[in-house]
């Protein structure tokens, strides 16, 4: 039911910042858990960050912790990923995900990928 559209990707130099957005439309509920995954060239898709329905609880991968911040504005049906101190290894397609029913970040982290709703992705390229 829900459609997810990512935006905000682009080309930045190492040490720079980007803010990704994930806009949701359709669907019935706005209080479900959401998160971010990424897939770099030649690598498997990996978890980046997750946020519970209200935005009060977040969880990050080791590579993202301390540099990335996930947040959400439920009034706008939008989730964000603020990425600071970007490194070339952050280069990847970043995907927005939403759990169809779960409300905690654990629902994002532990769910099989096929159980999540996925956006089309936005390219982030970090040059050295």
């Amino acid at each position: 039911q829900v459609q997810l559209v990512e935006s905000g990707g682009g080309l930045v130099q190492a040490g720079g910042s980007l803010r990704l957005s994930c806009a949701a439309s359709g669907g019935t509920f706005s209080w479900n858990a959401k998160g971010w995954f990424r897939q770099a060239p030649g690598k498997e898709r990996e978890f980046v960050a997750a946020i519970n329905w209200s935005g009060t609880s977040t969880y990050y991968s080791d590579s993202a912790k301390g540099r990335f911040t996930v947040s959400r504005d439920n009034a706008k049906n939008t989730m964000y990923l603020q990425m600071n101190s970007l490194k070339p290894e952050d280069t990847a397609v970043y995907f927005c995900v939403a759990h169809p029913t779960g409300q905690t970040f654990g629902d994002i982290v532990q769910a099989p990928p096929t159980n999540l709703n996925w956006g089309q992705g936005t390219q982030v390229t970090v040059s050295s």
Side-chain angles (χ1 to χ4, degrees):
Q1 294 181 0
V2 64
Q3 292 81 48
L4 305 173
V5 180
E6 303 93 335
S7 62
L11 174 64
V12 298
Q13 292 184 333
S17 299
L18 281 175
R19 190 192 194 199
L20 306 183
S21 297
C22 172
S25 62
T28 304
F29 304 103
S30 62
W31 50 83
N32 56 339
K34 296 181 178 179
W36 295 92
F37 286 75
R38 68 185 183 187
Q39 187 167 23
K43 296 184 178 180
E44 296 182 356
R45 191 170 297 179
E46 65 174 336
F47 168 78
V48 177
I51 188 167
N52 76 331
W53 72 273
S54 64
T56 58
S57 297
T58 58
Y59 184 76
Y60 301 91
S61 67
D62 289 340
S63 62
K65 190 174 183 179
R67 300 188 299 127
F68 295 1
T69 302
V70 62
S71 61
R72 65 192 296 168
D73 185 342
N74 287 343
K76 297 182 178 180
N77 290 320
T78 303
M79 177 181 61
Y80 306 95
L81 184 67
Q82 178 67 46
M83 304 187 296
N84 299 326
S85 301
L86 283 164
K87 306 173 182 179
E89 49 263 46
D90 293 318
T91 296
V93 176
Y94 284 71
F95 297 91
C96 170
V97 299
H99 198 284
T101 58
Q103 297 182 8
T104 72
F105 63 73
D107 293 319
I108 296 294
V109 175
Q110 298 180 342
T114 54
N115 289 166
L116 300 173
N117 299 127
W118 294 79
Q120 293 297 312
T122 184
Q123 177 70 50
V124 171
T125 302
V126 184
S127 62
S128 59

